[in-house]
Amino acid sequence: MNHAHHAAPDATRLALAATRHCLTGCAIGEVLGLLVSGALGFAIVVMETVDNLVVLLVPVAFAATFPVNRWLIVRGRGHALAHGGHG
């Protein structure tokens, strides 16, 4: 029985989950960073600049990392596979 036709959707789904997992961690770190910097009294201009850069770069990061994650998963490598998959 040939299961090759199932590999692409499974790899795509796993790559989406892994990329979403990674970028969610980045977003949580960004929020915590803003909270800490606010508590320490850093300038609001600096915090807003960093926040705006993150908002602009997350879609770029997703577009860049999703194909890499999928490529690694199809080849039996990648962070998601090391942990038994996400999703």
Side-chain angles (χ1 to χ4, degrees):
M1 180 180 241
N2 185 356
H3 295 286
H5 65 283
H6 293 294
D10 290 342
T12 299
R13 187 175 16 255
L14 186 56
L16 282 170
T19 304
R20 184 176 53 245
H21 174 82
C22 176
L23 293 177
T24 299
C26 290
I28 291 168
E30 173 63 19
V31 170
L32 290 175
L34 287 172
L35 291 173
V36 169
S37 61
L40 295 175
F42 290 160
I44 190 72
V45 174
V46 173
M47 294 185 327
E48 286 298 322
T49 302
V50 170
D51 188 44
N52 289 333
L53 284 173
V54 169
V55 168
L56 290 173
L57 294 177
V58 165
V60 174
F62 188 88
T65 58
F66 170 73
V68 173
N69 278 334
R70 190 179 184 293
W71 184 85
L72 288 168
I73 290 165
V74 167
R75 283 152 186 79
R77 300 177 178 201
H79 177 81
L81 293 176
H83 294 285
H86 295 283

